[in-house]
Amino acid sequence: RRHNYRLLIRFALEQTTDCRLWITVTDTAMATMAASDDPNAPSIYAGLRYSTGASDTTFRFASKDGTTQNLVDSTIAVDTNRHYLLISTNETTPSVTITLYNDSLSQQATNTFTSNLPGTSTQLQAQIVIRTLAAAAKIARCYGITAQTRINML
């Protein structure tokens, strides 16, 4: 998280039952993210969660600094339509803004986290993880990832 960046991910769930979905920038292994609604410390991430194991019916904006998880309800019901997720950082504030758009790029919900963020020296990677919570395959489709970075020069 050393520079201001934007990450735009186009995705869709094929099923909305018995599953856990994470779409994040994180330093945490995929297996760790998939295994929990609140991945164990020292997990660090910012992004989107949906989990029927946590009784979610809407997408949740999420951040964690290795200790404290923040969850904010997007109020957007989970469905099988295509969506865009924009994750943007601002090193000046510091903050992470997570915005959910529909497939027509109309903004559905947004949240800005200003606490419990990944540290500025934390190396993050984009991740899309889905785990079945029943004896049936689950699919999350990624239709593309676009990344943009802006380095602040003195």
Side-chain angles (χ1 to χ4, degrees):
R1 197 174 74 83
R2 293 181 187 192
H3 311 295
N4 293 327
Y5 67 84
R6 293 179 184 191
L7 187 67
L8 183 66
I9 303 165
R10 188 175 184 212
F11 73 96
L13 284 168
E14 286 206 357
Q15 306 87 10
T16 62
T17 57
D18 301 316
C19 65
R20 177 180 299 119
L21 171 73
W22 285 101
I23 302 175
T24 61
V25 290
T26 183
D27 73 337
T28 305
M30 292 177 91
T32 301
M33 292 299 291
S36 177
D37 296 323
D38 184 2
N40 293 332
S43 296
I44 297 171
Y45 53 83
L48 192 74
R49 183 193 86 185
Y50 167 65
S51 176
T52 58
S55 300
D56 294 347
T57 57
T58 59
F59 292 110
R60 308 281 175 161
F61 299 119
S63 74
K64 189 168 187 175
D65 61 2
T67 304
T68 304
Q69 182 187 58
N70 285 340
L71 290 175
V72 174
D73 188 352
S74 74
T75 72
I76 303 302
V78 175
D79 56 34
T80 57
N81 297 324
R82 292 180 186 170
H83 296 273
Y84 288 89
L85 182 68
L86 177 65
I87 302 172
S88 336
T89 64
N90 181 333
E91 291 305 313
T92 306
T93 308
S95 63
V96 175
T97 300
I98 305 165
T99 307
L100 186 63
Y101 297 89
N102 65 19
D103 199 33
S104 300
L105 286 175
S106 294
Q107 181 176 311
Q108 295 182 295
T110 191
N111 186 73
T112 298
F113 289 108
T114 57
S115 62
N116 306 114
L117 302 173
T120 56
S121 62
T122 304
Q123 298 293 317
L124 301 173
Q125 62 188 356
Q127 247 183 43
I128 301 173
V129 177
I130 190 165
R131 180 177 185 147
T132 184
L133 301 178
K138 302 297 175 180
I139 297 172
R141 297 214 181 266
C142 177
Y143 296 97
I145 298 175
T146 303
Q148 176 186 34
T149 189
R150 185 182 80 229
I151 300 171
N152 292 330
M153 304 294 279
L154 296 176

